[in-house]
Amino acid sequence: MRCDKRPRDETVEMVNDHLKFMITNKTPPLLMAWWNDMHEFRRTEIFKHLGFPIDIMRFSPDRDLIEALISFWDSTSNVFRFSDFELTPTLEELGDFTGLGKDLRSKTLIAPRSVSGNKFLEQMHIIHPHKECFDNGLISLEFLYSRYGKKEGFSDYGKQLKNGQHLPTWEKHKQEAFMVAILGTMIFPRRDKKINIRLSGIVVVMMKKKKFTILPMMLADIYRALAKCREGEDFFEGCSILLQMWFLEHLYRHRFATNFKSKWTNYILSHLDRMKELVDKLPKGVKAWRHYLLKLTASDITWNYHWFPASEVIVMSFYRPFFVLTGL
């Protein structure tokens, strides 16, 4: 038995080994069931607001890679420092990678605002919380799923929901509740797996105002999670799947510079197809990943997979004061 209790770097792990570093490693079954039961029209409406990140539900992140990457993060400059180069996720990359980067210059970034329990219920169109209660501004996925995820939610909670007993209205509210659920579980995850009720305010803004964007908030949360883990936190409270995809795309030998602006393909959904060429070359285990990253050089990195016109570059320093304010 090893004293640090980390999983072995071999493919076979001992049953008594416990994870030291944690991430959101899979999609909650309730969330996936909710999505699978969603009407296609509602899925399309959700996609209009959340873009390609919806499809991260299909992926399981590599915990070992995320843990290994942490030690290379420089929180003072917001960059990963490797042997002879630096690398960092930018708004432009994540914007086009996720499909949320269109017209960023003209959009206003969304920041979380305080939401009371009563306001949350109002925004989620719930009249009575029944026996459930809010725990320091947090709510469970089960709370939302029971009312809007299950097919029986319309009948079981009919008198507790503000829909006038009108099924199409309930379906619309179901869409809004799902957006809160996926943001709280997959995009802005917490160690306790609870959902911050402030996210309902974010969803309201996204639904009503097209000139607002959640993208800087997503990137800021990844930066914040990296900084906290570098300081000793052992749970990554950011979207680890997006971070992993962004990094691995730089290891893949793209055959040309990808112009996301002219492509309608879902670049997140097609990520696994590209990674099939890398699967046998990538390390297995934290120790192996660290050794690999230590030897990584600039010549191993694909620098031109992301293409965007110079006129659309957004100066990162403009957003930096915002980064310290977005923790949920």
Side-chain angles (χ1 to χ4, degrees), residues 133-148:
C133 62
F134 298 101
D135 181 15
N136 295 322
L138 306 173
I139 202 71
S140 67
L141 173 61
E142 289 76 12
F143 180 87
L144 290 176
Y145 179 79
S146 63
R147 288 155 176 79
Y148 291 113

Side-chain angles (χ1 to χ4, degrees), residues 208-261:
K208 293 182 177 180
K209 300 180 180 181
K210 295 182 179 180
K211 290 298 183 179
F212 281 70
T213 176
I214 196 176
L215 186 64
M217 184 175 162
M218 292 169 59
L219 180 58
D221 205 56
I222 290 175
Y223 278 15
R224 173 178 173 270
L226 285 166
K228 292 185 69 174
C229 289
R230 194 70 176 91
E231 294 170 358
E233 287 286 336
D234 58 3
F235 180 81
F236 190 86
E237 285 194 344
C239 191
S240 56
I241 301 178
L242 279 182
L243 176 63
Q244 172 183 315
M245 289 181 175
W246 163 82
F247 180 74
L248 292 179
E249 288 290 340
H250 281 286
L251 300 182
Y252 176 74
R253 291 298 179 183
H254 293 259
R255 292 167 178 78
F256 51 85
T258 302
N259 181 354
F260 293 87
K261 301 289 192 297

Side-chain angles (χ1 to χ4, degrees), residues 108-215:
T108 302
L109 50 85
I110 300 176
R113 296 288 186 267
S114 178
V115 173
S116 66
N118 288 335
K119 187 65 175 178
F120 172 80
L121 294 174
E122 178 185 336
Q123 291 173 337
M124 290 292 97
H125 315 285
I126 299 172
I127 300 174
H128 302 293
H130 198 49
K131 294 182 180 179
E132 276 76 358
C133 62
F134 298 101
D135 181 15
N136 295 322
L138 306 173
I139 202 71
S140 67
L141 173 61
E142 289 76 12
F143 180 87
L144 290 176
Y145 179 79
S146 63
R147 288 155 176 79
Y148 291 113
K150 293 194 306 182
K151 295 179 180 178
E152 302 81 9
F154 178 72
S155 56
D156 290 351
Y157 292 91
K159 294 182 179 180
Q160 298 180 26
L161 304 176
K162 297 178 183 179
N163 52 47
Q165 299 294 290
H166 188 231
L167 184 59
T169 301
W170 178 79
E171 289 283 353
K172 181 178 183 299
H173 297 166
K174 177 178 183 177
Q175 164 192 325
E176 298 167 8
F178 179 84
M179 290 174 64
V180 172
I182 191 173
L183 287 177
T185 57
M186 304 298 291
I187 307 298
F188 306 107
R190 294 175 50 89
R191 177 195 291 271
D192 57 15
K193 300 182 180 180
K194 294 295 183 98
I195 297 171
N196 196 307
I197 64 175
R198 284 189 288 175
L199 288 170
S200 66
I202 299 295
V203 169
V204 168
V205 173
M206 294 174 68
M207 295 285 290
K208 293 182 177 180
K209 300 180 180 181
K210 295 182 179 180
K211 290 298 183 179
F212 281 70
T213 176
I214 196 176
L215 186 64

